[in-house]
Amino acid sequence: RQMCIRDSNYVIQGTLIADMDGQVFRVPKGHVVHIPAGMPHSHVSSADEDVIFYAVKDTRHGIVGPPVDGVYN
């Protein structure tokens, strides 16, 4: 069975802190994080510096997912 990837984020500068369904990963410059379709996730920059990343999205699953808290502001 193939995993369906919804997002891929390539880090250009800094370190991306990726929380993927409760697992936290530090993604440094030059690395990619792949997020499977339907997986709850969030990203922040490390405290050291801003992060710049290039996001590639498979829009077959929509451009935005539902908010984690279920509240659309």
Side-chain angles (χ1 to χ4, degrees):
R1 177 182 155 170
Q2 282 187 326
M3 179 176 20
C4 182
I5 300 297
R6 188 183 89 180
D7 299 330
S8 293
N9 298 320
Y10 173 74
V11 181
I12 297 167
Q13 172 189 306
T15 300
L16 184 73
I17 310 294
D19 182 329
M20 296 172 46
D21 200 20
Q23 286 190 299
V24 178
F25 301 91
R26 293 180 64 82
V27 186
K29 175 182 174 180
H31 287 78
V32 177
V33 60
H34 299 287
I35 300 117
M39 176 172 283
H41 65 281
S42 63
H43 302 315
V44 295
S45 65
S46 68
D48 303 336
E49 64 179 313
D50 290 340
V51 67
I52 298 172
F53 64 95
Y54 180 77
V56 178
K57 185 173 239 354
D58 178 352
T59 58
R60 291 178 297 176
H61 303 285
I63 195 70
V64 225
V68 174
D69 62 5
V71 177
Y72 290 89
N73 297 350

